[in-house]
Amino acid sequence: MPDRSILVINTGSSSLKYGLYAEQNGEEQLLFGGLAQNGTIDLRDGGDRMLRSEKLNFASQGDALDHATQWLRELTPDKPCAIGHRVVHGGPRLVAHQR
């Protein structure tokens, strides 16, 4: 398993999407990814094969992310070297990309 993976998180108003990516043969490849939405969380491998799925109601997206990262930790003990987060909101004072 690559030791330079990147965890990407995409939060929406009612869902959490997540993916663990790594470079393989000069290309970014999805290693694992999943979705927490409507009381269900799942995890798939890079070939879109379902690895896990559970019906759980999370109190917050943070709780869903904690659950997802636990699953990822069981599959690859290496910590990602970076985390990317995408959040969409249209605040009136936000007019440029933010770090």
Side-chain angles (χ1 to χ4, degrees):
M1 191 65 52
D3 62 354
R4 298 203 34 91
S5 59
I6 298 173
L7 177 61
V8 178
I9 304 163
N10 182 349
T11 58
S13 60
S14 63
S15 67
L16 167 75
K17 296 176 187 170
Y18 60 96
L20 189 66
Y21 293 83
E23 180 185 343
Q24 295 177 343
N25 302 319
E27 301 273 331
E28 64 184 42
Q29 298 292 321
L30 176 65
L31 303 175
F32 303 103
L35 172 68
Q37 183 175 0
N38 299 328
T40 300
I41 184 169
D42 63 40
L43 176 67
R44 296 174 179 269
D45 67 12
D48 204 34
R49 183 176 59 118
M50 182 70 70
L51 300 176
R52 295 186 179 177
S53 183
E54 290 184 23
K55 294 270 187 199
L56 296 170
N57 287 314
F58 296 104
S60 68
Q61 289 181 343
D63 290 343
L65 181 59
D66 287 344
H67 199 80
T69 55
Q70 178 59 40
W71 282 355
L72 292 172
R73 227 179 272 123
E74 291 169 9
L75 294 168
T76 176
D78 297 325
K79 291 182 180 179
C81 68
I83 298 174
H85 181 231
R86 177 182 180 268
V87 62
V88 177
H89 61 85
R93 293 183 292 241
L94 181 64
V95 295
H97 293 288
Q98 303 294 308
R99 196 171 182 106

Coordinates of all heavy atoms in Angstrom, one line a residue:
M1 N 0.8 -1.2 0.0 CA 0.0 0.0 0.0 C 0.9 1.2 0.0 O 1.8 1.3 0.8 CB -0.9 0.0 1.2 CG -2.0 1.0 1.3 SD -3.3 0.8 0.0 CE -3.8 -0.9 0.1
P2 N 0.6 2.2 -0.8 CA 1.4 3.4 -0.9 C 1.4 4.2 0.5 O 0.4 4.2 1.1 CB 0.7 4.3 -2.0 CG -0.1 3.4 -2.7 CD -0.5 2.2 -1.8
D3 N 2.6 4.8 0.8 CA 2.6 5.5 2.1 C 2.5 7.0 1.9 O 2.6 7.7 2.8 CB 3.9 5.2 2.8 CG 5.2 5.6 2.0 OD1 5.0 6.0 0.8 OD2 6.3 5.5 2.5
R4 N 2.1 7.4 0.7 CA 1.9 8.9 0.4 C 0.5 9.1 -0.1 O 0.3 9.6 -1.2 CB 3.0 9.4 -0.6 CG 4.4 9.2 0.1 CD 5.4 10.1 -0.5 NE 5.0 11.5 -0.9 CZ 5.0 12.5 -0.2 NH1 5.3 12.5 1.1 NH2 4.6 13.7 -0.6
S5 N -0.4 8.6 0.6 CA -1.8 8.8 0.1 C -2.4 10.1 0.6 O -1.9 10.8 1.4 CB -2.7 7.6 0.7 OG -2.6 7.7 2.1
I6 N -3.5 10.5 -0.1 CA -4.2 11.8 0.2 C -5.6 11.4 0.5 O -6.3 10.8 -0.3 CB -4.1 12.8 -1.0 CG1 -2.6 13.1 -1.2 CG2 -4.9 14.0 -0.7 CD1 -2.4 13.9 -2.5
L7 N -6.1 11.9 1.6 CA -7.5 11.7 2.0 C -8.3 13.0 1.5 O -7.9 14.1 1.8 CB -7.7 11.6 3.5 CG -9.1 11.5 4.0 CD1 -9.8 10.3 3.4 CD2 -9.1 11.5 5.5
V8 N -9.3 12.8 0.7 CA -10.1 13.9 0.2 C -11.5 13.8 0.8 O -12.1 12.7 0.8 CB -10.2 13.8 -1.4 CG1 -11.1 14.9 -1.9 CG2 -8.8 13.9 -2.0
I9 N -12.0 14.9 1.3 CA -13.3 14.9 2.0 C -14.2 16.0 1.2 O -13.7 17.1 0.9 CB -13.1 15.4 3.4 CG1 -12.2 14.4 4.2 CG2 -14.5 15.4 4.1 CD1 -11.7 15.0 5.4
N10 N -15.4 15.6 1.0 CA -16.4 16.5 0.4 C -17.7 16.5 1.2 O -18.4 15.5 1.2 CB -16.6 16.1 -1.1 CG -17.6 17.0 -1.8 OD1 -18.2 17.8 -1.3 ND2 -17.7 16.8 -3.1
T11 N -17.9 17.6 1.9 CA -19.1 17.6 2.7 C -20.2 18.4 2.0 O -19.9 19.5 1.4 CB -18.8 18.3 4.1 OG1 -18.3 19.6 3.9 CG2 -17.9 17.5 4.9
G12 N -21.4 17.9 2.1 CA -22.5 18.7 1.5 C -23.5 19.0 2.6 O -23.2 18.7 3.8
S13 N -24.6 19.4 2.3 CA -25.6 19.8 3.3 C -26.1 18.5 4.0 O -26.5 18.6 5.2 CB -26.8 20.6 2.8 OG -27.4 19.9 1.8
S14 N -26.2 17.4 3.4 CA -26.7 16.2 4.0 C -25.9 15.0 3.7 O -26.3 13.8 3.9 CB -28.1 16.0 3.5 OG -28.1 15.7 2.1
S15 N -24.6 15.1 3.2 CA -23.8 14.0 2.9 C -22.3 14.2 3.1 O -21.9 15.4 3.2 CB -24.0 13.5 1.4 OG -23.5 14.5 0.6
L16 N -21.6 13.1 3.2 CA -20.2 13.2 3.3 C -19.6 12.2 2.3 O -20.0 11.0 2.4 CB -19.7 12.8 4.7 CG -18.2 12.5 4.9 CD1 -17.4 13.8 4.9 CD2 -18.0 11.7 6.2
K17 N -18.8 12.7 1.4 CA -18.1 11.8 0.5 C -16.6 11.8 0.9 O -16.1 12.9 1.3 CB -18.3 12.3 -1.0 CG -19.7 12.2 -1.5 CD -19.8 12.8 -2.8 CE -21.3 12.9 -3.2 NZ -21.4 13.7 -4.5
Y18 N -16.0 10.7 0.7 CA -14.6 10.6 1.1 C -13.8 9.6 0.2 O -14.4 8.7 -0.4 CB -14.4 10.2 2.6 CG -15.0 8.8 2.9 CD1 -14.1 7.7 2.9 CD2 -16.3 8.7 3.2 CE1 -14.7 6.5 3.2 CE2 -16.8 7.4 3.5 CZ -16.0 6.3 3.5 OH -16.5 5.1 3.8
G19 N -12.6 9.9 0.0 CA -11.8 9.1 -0.9 C -10.3 9.1 -0.5 O -9.8 10.1 0.0
L20 N -9.6 8.0 -0.6 CA -8.2 7.9 -0.3 C -7.5 7.6 -1.6 O -7.8 6.6 -2.3 CB -7.9 6.8 0.7 CG -6.5 6.7 1.3 CD1 -6.2 7.9 2.1 CD2 -6.3 5.5 2.1
Y21 N -6.7 8.5 -2.0 CA -6.0 8.5 -3.3 C -4.5 8.3 -3.2 O -3.9 8.7 -2.2 CB -6.3 9.7 -4.1 CG -7.7 9.9 -4.5 CD1 -8.6 10.5 -3.7 CD2 -8.1 9.6 -5.8 CE1 -9.9 10.7 -4.0 CE2 -9.4 9.7 -6.2 CZ -10.3 10.3 -5.3 OH -11.6 10.5 -5.7
A22 N -3.9 7.7 -4.2 CA -2.4 7.6 -4.2 C -1.9 7.6 -5.6 O -2.7 7.3 -6.5 CB -1.9 6.3 -3.5
E23 N -0.7 8.0 -5.8 CA -0.1 8.0 -7.2 C 0.4 6.6 -7.5 O 1.0 5.9 -6.7 CB 1.1 8.9 -7.2 CG 1.7 8.9 -8.6 CD 3.0 9.8 -8.7 OE1 3.2 10.6 -7.8 OE2 3.7 9.6 -9.6
Q24 N 0.0 6.1 -8.6 CA 0.4 4.8 -9.1 C 0.7 4.9 -10.6 O -0.2 5.3 -11.4 CB -0.7 3.7 -8.8 CG -0.9 3.5 -7.4 CD -2.0 2.4 -7.1 OE1 -2.8 2.1 -8.0 NE2 -2.0 1.9 -5.9
N25 N 1.9 4.6 -11.0 CA 2.3 4.7 -12.4 C 2.1 6.1 -13.0 O 1.6 6.3 -14.1 CB 1.6 3.7 -13.3 CG 1.8 2.3 -12.8 OD1 2.9 1.9 -12.4 ND2 0.7 1.5 -12.8
G26 N 2.4 7.1 -12.1 CA 2.3 8.5 -12.6 C 0.9 9.1 -12.7 O 0.7 10.2 -13.1
E27 N -0.1 8.3 -12.2 CA -1.5 8.7 -12.2 C -2.1 8.6 -10.8 O -1.7 7.8 -10.0 CB -2.3 7.8 -13.1 CG -1.9 7.7 -14.6 CD -2.5 8.8 -15.4 OE1 -3.6 9.2 -15.1 OE2 -1.8 9.2 -16.4
E28 N -3.0 9.5 -10.5 CA -3.7 9.4 -9.3 C -4.8 8.3 -9.4 O -5.5 8.2 -10.4 CB -4.4 10.7 -8.9 CG -5.5 11.2 -9.8 CD -6.1 12.5 -9.5 OE1 -5.3 13.4 -9.2 OE2 -7.3 12.7 -9.6
Q29 N -4.8 7.5 -8.4 CA -5.7 6.3 -8.3 C -6.5 6.4 -7.0 O -5.9 6.6 -6.0 CB -4.9 5.0 -8.4 CG -4.1 4.9 -9.7 CD -5.0 4.7 -10.9 OE1 -6.1 4.1 -10.9 NE2 -4.6 5.3 -12.0
L30 N -7.8 6.1 -7.2 CA -8.6 5.9 -6.0 C -8.3 4.6 -5.4 O -8.5 3.5 -6.0 CB -10.1 6.0 -6.3 CG -11.1 5.8 -5.2 CD1 -11.0 6.9 -4.1 CD2 -12.5 5.7 -5.8
L31 N -7.9 4.6 -4.1 CA -7.7 3.3 -3.4 C -9.0 2.8 -2.7 O -9.4 1.7 -2.8 CB -6.6 3.5 -2.3 CG -5.3 4.0 -2.8 CD1 -4.3 4.2 -1.6 CD2 -4.7 3.0 -3.8
F32 N -9.7 3.8 -2.0 CA -10.9 3.5 -1.3 C -11.7 4.7 -1.3 O -11.2 5.8 -1.2 CB -10.6 3.0 0.1 CG -9.8 1.9 0.3 CD1 -8.4 2.0 0.7 CD2 -10.2 0.6 0.0 CE1 -7.6 0.9 0.8 CE2 -9.4 -0.5 0.1 CZ -8.1 -0.3 0.5
G33 N -13.0 4.6 -1.3 CA -13.9 5.8 -1.2 C -15.3 5.4 -0.7 O -15.6 4.2 -0.7
G34 N -16.0 6.4 -0.3 CA -17.3 6.1 0.3 C -18.2 7.3 0.4 O -17.8 8.4 0.1
L35 N -19.4 7.0 0.9 CA -20.4 8.0 1.1 C -21.2 7.7 2.4 O -21.6 6.5 2.6 CB -21.4 7.9 -0.1 CG -22.6 8.7 -0.1 CD1 -22.3 10.2 -0.2 CD2 -23.6 8.3 -1.3
A36 N -21.5 8.8 3.1 CA -22.4 8.7 4.3 C -23.5 9.6 4.0 O -23.4 10.8 3.8 CB -21.7 9.1 5.5
Q37 N -24.7 9.0 3.9 CA -25.9 9.8 3.5 C -27.2 9.0 3.9 O -27.2 7.8 3.7 CB -25.9 10.0 2.0 CG -27.0 10.9 1.5 CD -26.9 11.2 0.0 OE1 -26.0 10.8 -0.7 NE2 -27.8 11.9 -0.5
N38 N -28.2 9.7 4.3 CA -29.5 9.1 4.6 C -29.4 7.9 5.5 O -30.1 6.9 5.3 CB -30.2 8.7 3.3 CG -30.5 9.9 2.4 OD1 -30.7 11.0 2.9 ND2 -30.4 9.7 1.1
G39 N -28.6 8.0 6.6 CA -28.5 6.9 7.5 C -27.7 5.7 7.1 O -27.7 4.7 7.8
T40 N -27.0 5.8 6.0 CA -26.1 4.7 5.5 C -24.7 5.2 5.2 O -24.5 6.3 4.7 CB -26.7 4.1 4.2 OG1 -28.0 3.6 4.5 CG2 -25.9 3.0 3.7
I41 N -23.8 4.4 5.6 CA -22.4 4.7 5.2 C -21.8 3.5 4.5 O -22.1 2.4 4.9 CB -21.5 5.1 6.5 CG1 -20.1 5.5 6.1 CG2 -21.5 4.0 7.5 CD1 -19.3 6.1 7.2
D42 N -21.1 3.8 3.5 CA -20.5 2.7 2.7 C -19.0 2.9 2.4 O -18.5 4.1 2.5 CB -21.3 2.3 1.5 CG -21.3 3.4 0.4 OD1 -20.3 4.0 0.2 OD2 -22.4 3.6 -0.2
L43 N -18.3 1.9 2.0 CA -16.9 2.0 1.6 C -16.7 1.0 0.5 O -17.1 -0.1 0.5 CB -16.0 1.5 2.8 CG -14.5 1.5 2.5 CD1 -14.0 2.9 2.2 CD2 -13.8 0.8 3.7
R44 N -16.1 1.5 -0.6 CA -15.8 0.8 -1.8 C -14.3 0.8 -2.1 O -13.6 1.7 -1.7 CB -16.6 1.3 -3.0 CG -18.1 1.2 -2.8 CD -18.8 2.0 -4.0 NE -20.2 1.8 -3.8 CZ -21.0 0.9 -4.3 NH1 -20.4 -0.1 -5.0 NH2 -22.3 0.8 -4.1
D45 N -13.8 -0.2 -2.8 CA -12.5 -0.1 -3.3 C -12.3 0.6 -4.5 O -13.4 1.1 -5.1 CB -11.9 -1.5 -3.4 CG -12.5 -2.4 -4.5 OD1 -13.2 -1.8 -5.4 OD2 -12.2 -3.6 -4.5
G46 N -11.1 0.8 -5.1 CA -10.9 1.6 -6.3 C -11.6 1.1 -7.5 O -11.8 1.8 -8.5
G47 N -12.0 -0.2 -7.5 CA -12.7 -0.8 -8.6 C -14.2 -0.8 -8.4 O -15.0 -1.4 -9.1
D48 N -14.7 0.0 -7.4 CA -16.1 0.2 -7.1 C -16.8 -1.0 -6.5 O -18.0 -1.2 -6.5 CB -16.9 0.7 -8.3 CG -18.1 1.5 -8.0 OD1 -18.1 2.2 -6.9 OD2 -19.1 1.4 -8.7
R49 N -16.0 -1.9 -5.9 CA -16.5 -3.1 -5.3 C -16.9 -2.7 -3.8 O -16.0 -2.1 -3.1 CB -15.5 -4.2 -5.3 CG -16.0 -5.5 -4.7 CD -15.0 -6.6 -4.8 NE -13.7 -6.2 -4.1 CZ -13.2 -6.9 -3.1 NH1 -13.8 -8.0 -2.6 NH2 -12.1 -6.4 -2.6
M50 N -18.1 -3.0 -3.4 CA -18.5 -2.7 -2.0 C -17.8 -3.5 -1.0 O -17.7 -4.7 -1.1 CB -20.0 -2.9 -1.9 CG -20.6 -2.6 -0.6 SD -20.7 -0.8 -0.2 CE -22.0 -0.4 -1.3
L51 N -17.1 -2.8 -0.1 CA -16.4 -3.5 1.0 C -17.2 -3.6 2.3 O -17.2 -4.6 3.0 CB -15.1 -2.8 1.2 CG -14.1 -2.8 0.0 CD1 -12.8 -2.0 0.4 CD2 -13.7 -4.2 -0.4
R52 N -17.9 -2.5 2.6 CA -18.7 -2.4 3.8 C -19.8 -1.4 3.6 O -19.7 -0.5 2.9 CB -17.8 -1.8 5.0 CG -16.7 -2.8 5.4 CD -16.1 -2.2 6.6 NE -15.0 -3.1 7.0 CZ -14.2 -2.9 8.0 NH1 -14.4 -1.8 8.8 NH2 -13.3 -3.8 8.3
S53 N -20.9 -1.7 4.3 CA -22.1 -0.8 4.3 C -22.8 -1.0 5.6 O -23.0 -2.2 6.0 CB -23.0 -1.1 3.1 OG -24.1 -0.2 3.1
E54 N -23.2 0.1 6.2 CA -23.9 0.0 7.5 C -25.0 1.0 7.6 O -24.8 2.1 7.0 CB -23.0 0.2 8.7 CG -22.0 -0.9 9.0 CD -21.2 -0.7 10.2 OE1 -21.6 0.1 11.1 OE2 -20.1 -1.2 10.3
K55 N -26.1 0.7 8.2 CA -27.1 1.7 8.5 C -26.8 2.3 9.9 O -26.9 1.6 10.9 CB -28.5 1.0 8.5 CG -28.9 0.4 7.2 CD -29.7 1.5 6.5 CE -30.3 0.8 5.2 NZ -30.7 1.8 4.3
L56 N -26.5 3.5 9.9 CA -26.1 4.2 11.1 C -26.6 5.7 11.0 O -26.4 6.3 9.9 CB -24.6 4.2 11.4 CG -24.0 2.9 11.6 CD1 -22.4 3.0 11.6 CD2 -24.4 2.3 12.9
N57 N -27.2 6.2 12.0 CA -27.5 7.6 12.0 C -26.5 8.3 12.8 O -26.3 8.1 14.0 CB -28.9 7.8 12.7 CG -30.0 7.4 11.7 OD1 -30.0 7.7 10.5 ND2 -31.0 6.6 12.2
F58 N -25.8 9.2 12.2 CA -24.7 10.0 12.8 C -25.2 11.3 13.3 O -26.0 12.0 12.7 CB -23.5 10.2 11.9 CG -22.9 8.9 11.4 CD1 -23.1 8.4 10.2 CD2 -22.0 8.3 12.3 CE1 -22.5 7.2 9.8 CE2 -21.4 7.1 11.9 CZ -21.7 6.6 10.6
A59 N -24.7 11.8 14.5 CA -25.1 13.0 15.0 C -24.6 14.2 14.2 O -25.1 15.3 14.2 CB -24.7 13.2 16.5
S60 N -23.5 14.0 13.5 CA -22.8 15.0 12.7 C -22.0 14.4 11.6 O -21.7 13.2 11.6 CB -21.9 15.9 13.6 OG -20.8 15.1 14.0
Q61 N -21.6 15.2 10.7 CA -20.7 14.7 9.6 C -19.3 14.4 10.2 O -18.7 13.5 9.7 CB -20.6 15.8 8.5 CG -21.8 15.9 7.7 CD -21.7 16.9 6.6 OE1 -20.8 17.7 6.6 NE2 -22.6 16.8 5.6
G62 N -19.0 15.0 11.3 CA -17.7 14.7 12.0 C -17.8 13.3 12.5 O -16.8 12.5 12.4
D63 N -18.9 12.9 13.0 CA -19.1 11.5 13.5 C -19.0 10.5 12.4 O -18.4 9.4 12.5 CB -20.4 11.3 14.2 CG -20.4 12.0 15.6 OD1 -19.4 12.4 16.1 OD2 -21.5 12.2 16.1
A64 N -19.6 10.8 11.2 CA -19.5 10.0 10.0 C -18.1 9.9 9.6 O -17.6 8.8 9.2 CB -20.4 10.5 8.9
L65 N -17.3 11.0 9.6 CA -15.9 11.0 9.1 C -15.1 10.1 10.1 O -14.2 9.4 9.7 CB -15.4 12.4 9.1 CG -13.9 12.5 8.6 CD1 -13.7 11.9 7.2 CD2 -13.5 14.0 8.6
D66 N -15.4 10.2 11.4 CA -14.6 9.4 12.4 C -14.8 7.9 12.0 O -13.9 7.1 12.1 CB -15.1 9.6 13.8 CG -14.6 11.0 14.3 OD1 -13.7 11.6 13.8 OD2 -15.2 11.4 15.3
H67 N -16.1 7.5 11.7 CA -16.4 6.1 11.4 C -15.6 5.7 10.1 O -15.1 4.6 10.0 CB -17.9 6.0 11.2 CG -18.4 4.6 11.3 ND1 -18.5 3.9 12.5 CD2 -18.7 3.7 10.4 CE1 -19.0 2.7 12.3 NE2 -19.1 2.5 11.0
A68 N -15.7 6.6 9.1 CA -15.0 6.3 7.8 C -13.5 6.1 8.0 O -12.9 5.2 7.4 CB -15.4 7.4 6.8
T69 N -12.9 7.0 8.7 CA -11.5 6.9 8.9 C -11.1 5.7 9.7 O -10.0 5.2 9.5 CB -10.9 8.2 9.6 OG1 -11.5 8.5 10.8 CG2 -11.0 9.4 8.6
Q70 N -11.9 5.2 10.6 CA -11.6 4.0 11.3 C -11.6 2.8 10.3 O -10.7 2.0 10.4 CB -12.7 3.7 12.4 CG -12.5 2.4 13.1 CD -11.1 2.3 13.8 OE1 -10.6 3.3 14.4 NE2 -10.5 1.2 13.8
W71 N -12.6 2.8 9.4 CA -12.6 1.7 8.4 C -11.3 1.8 7.5 O -10.7 0.8 7.3 CB -13.8 1.9 7.5 CG -15.1 1.4 8.0 CD1 -15.3 0.7 9.2 CD2 -16.3 1.5 7.4 NE1 -16.6 0.4 9.4 CE2 -17.3 0.9 8.3 CE3 -16.8 2.0 6.2 CZ2 -18.6 0.8 8.0 CZ3 -18.1 2.0 5.9 CH2 -19.0 1.3 6.8
L72 N -10.9 3.0 7.1 CA -9.7 3.2 6.3 C -8.5 2.8 7.1 O -7.6 2.2 6.5 CB -9.6 4.7 5.8 CG -10.6 5.1 4.8 CD1 -10.5 6.6 4.6 CD2 -10.5 4.4 3.5
R73 N -8.4 3.1 8.4 CA -7.3 2.7 9.2 C -7.1 1.2 9.3 O -6.0 0.7 9.3 CB -7.5 3.3 10.6 CG -6.3 3.9 11.2 CD -6.5 4.5 12.6 NE -7.0 5.9 12.4 CZ -8.2 6.3 13.0 NH1 -8.9 5.5 13.6 NH2 -8.5 7.5 12.8
E74 N -8.2 0.5 9.2 CA -8.2 -1.0 9.3 C -7.6 -1.6 8.0 O -7.0 -2.6 8.0 CB -9.6 -1.5 9.6 CG -10.1 -1.2 11.0 CD -11.6 -1.6 11.1 OE1 -12.2 -2.2 10.2 OE2 -12.1 -1.2 12.2
L75 N -7.8 -0.8 6.9 CA -7.4 -1.3 5.6 C -6.0 -0.9 5.3 O -5.3 -1.6 4.5 CB -8.3 -0.8 4.5 CG -9.7 -1.4 4.5 CD1 -10.7 -0.7 3.6 CD2 -9.7 -2.9 4.2
T76 N -5.6 0.3 5.7 CA -4.2 0.8 5.5 C -3.8 1.6 6.7 O -4.3 2.7 6.9 CB -4.2 1.7 4.2 OG1 -2.9 2.2 4.0 CG2 -5.2 2.7 4.1
P77 N -2.9 1.0 7.4 CA -2.4 1.7 8.7 C -1.6 3.0 8.5 O -1.5 3.8 9.4 CB -1.6 0.6 9.4 CG -1.1 -0.2 8.3 CD -2.2 -0.2 7.2
D78 N -1.1 3.2 7.2 CA -0.4 4.5 7.0 C -1.3 5.7 7.0 O -2.3 5.7 6.4 CB 0.4 4.4 5.7 CG 1.4 3.2 5.6 OD1 2.0 3.0 6.7 OD2 1.5 2.6 4.5
K79 N -0.8 6.7 7.7 CA -1.6 8.0 7.7 C -1.4 8.7 6.3 O -0.3 8.6 5.8 CB -1.1 8.9 8.8 CG -1.4 8.3 10.2 CD -1.0 9.3 11.2 CE -1.3 8.8 12.6 NZ -0.9 9.7 13.7
P80 N -2.4 9.4 5.9 CA -2.3 10.1 4.6 C -1.2 11.2 4.8 O -1.1 11.8 5.9 CB -3.7 10.7 4.3 CG -4.5 10.4 5.5 CD -3.8 9.5 6.4
C81 N -0.5 11.6 3.8 CA 0.4 12.7 3.9 C -0.2 14.0 3.7 O 0.4 15.1 4.0 CB 1.5 12.5 2.8 SG 1.0 12.7 1.1
A82 N -1.5 14.0 3.3 CA -2.2 15.3 3.1 C -3.7 15.0 3.2 O -4.2 13.9 2.9 CB -1.9 16.0 1.8
I83 N -4.5 16.0 3.5 CA -6.0 15.9 3.5 C -6.5 17.1 2.7 O -6.1 18.3 3.0 CB -6.5 15.9 4.9 CG1 -6.0 14.7 5.7 CG2 -8.1 15.9 4.9 CD1 -6.4 14.7 7.2
G84 N -7.4 16.8 1.8 CA -8.0 17.9 1.0 C -9.5 17.9 1.4 O -10.1 16.9 1.6
H85 N -10.0 19.1 1.6 CA -11.4 19.3 2.0 C -12.1 20.2 1.1 O -11.6 21.3 0.8 CB -11.5 19.8 3.4 CG -12.8 20.0 4.0 ND1 -13.3 21.1 4.5 CD2 -13.9 19.1 4.0 CE1 -14.6 21.0 4.9 NE2 -14.9 19.8 4.6
R86 N -13.2 19.8 0.6 CA -14.1 20.7 -0.3 C -15.4 20.9 0.4 O -16.1 20.0 0.9 CB -14.3 20.0 -1.6 CG -15.2 20.8 -2.5 CD -15.5 20.1 -3.8 NE -16.4 20.9 -4.6 CZ -17.7 20.9 -4.6 NH1 -18.3 20.0 -3.8 NH2 -18.4 21.6 -5.4
V87 N -15.7 22.2 0.6 CA -16.9 22.6 1.2 C -17.5 23.7 0.4 O -16.7 24.6 -0.1 CB -16.8 23.0 2.7 CG1 -15.9 24.1 2.9 CG2 -18.1 23.2 3.3
V88 N -18.7 23.7 0.1 CA -19.4 24.7 -0.7 C -20.3 25.5 0.2 O -21.2 25.0 0.8 CB -20.2 24.1 -1.9 CG1 -20.9 25.2 -2.7 CG2 -19.3 23.3 -2.8
H89 N -20.1 26.8 0.2 CA -21.0 27.7 0.8 C -20.8 29.1 0.2 O -19.8 29.4 -0.4 CB -20.7 27.8 2.4 CG -19.4 28.3 2.7 ND1 -19.1 29.6 2.8 CD2 -18.2 27.6 3.0 CE1 -17.8 29.7 3.2 NE2 -17.3 28.5 3.2
G90 N -21.8 29.8 0.2 CA -21.8 31.1 -0.5 C -21.8 32.3 0.4 O -22.6 33.3 0.2
G91 N -21.0 32.3 1.5 CA -21.0 33.5 2.4 C -20.8 34.8 1.6 O -20.0 34.8 0.7
P92 N -21.4 35.9 2.1 CA -21.3 37.1 1.3 C -19.9 37.7 1.4 O -19.6 38.5 0.5 CB -22.3 38.0 2.1 CG -22.5 37.4 3.4 CD -22.3 35.9 3.2
R93 N -19.1 37.4 2.3 CA -17.7 37.9 2.4 C -16.7 37.0 1.8 O -15.5 37.3 1.7 CB -17.4 38.3 3.8 CG -18.2 39.4 4.4 CD -17.8 39.8 5.7 NE -18.1 38.7 6.6 CZ -19.0 38.8 7.7 NH1 -19.5 39.9 7.9 NH2 -19.2 37.7 8.4
L94 N -17.1 35.8 1.3 CA -16.2 34.8 0.8 C -16.2 35.0 -0.8 O -17.2 34.6 -1.4 CB -16.6 33.4 1.1 CG -15.7 32.3 0.6 CD1 -14.3 32.5 1.2 CD2 -16.2 31.0 0.9
V95 N -15.2 35.6 -1.3 CA -15.2 35.9 -2.7 C -14.0 35.2 -3.4 O -13.8 35.4 -4.6 CB -15.2 37.4 -3.0 CG1 -16.5 38.0 -2.5 CG2 -14.0 38.0 -2.4
A96 N -13.1 34.5 -2.7 CA -12.0 33.8 -3.3 C -11.7 32.5 -2.6 O -12.2 32.2 -1.5 CB -10.7 34.7 -3.2
H97 N -10.9 31.7 -3.2 CA -10.5 30.4 -2.6 C -9.9 30.6 -1.3 O -9.2 31.6 -1.1 CB -9.5 29.6 -3.5 CG -10.2 29.2 -4.8 ND1 -11.1 28.2 -4.8 CD2 -10.0 29.6 -6.0 CE1 -11.5 28.0 -6.1 NE2 -10.8 28.9 -6.9
Q98 N -10.1 29.7 -0.3 CA -9.5 29.8 1.0 C -8.7 28.6 1.3 O -9.1 27.5 0.9 CB -10.7 30.0 2.0 CG -11.6 31.2 1.8 CD -10.9 32.5 2.0 OE1 -10.2 32.7 3.0 NE2 -11.0 33.3 1.0
R99 N -7.7 28.8 2.0 CA -6.9 27.7 2.5 C -7.5 27.0 3.6 O -8.0 27.5 4.5 CB -5.5 28.2 2.8 CG -4.5 27.1 2.9 CD -3.1 27.7 3.1 NE -2.2 26.6 3.1 CZ -1.4 26.3 2.1 NH1 -1.3 27.1 1.1 NH2 -0.6 25.3 2.2

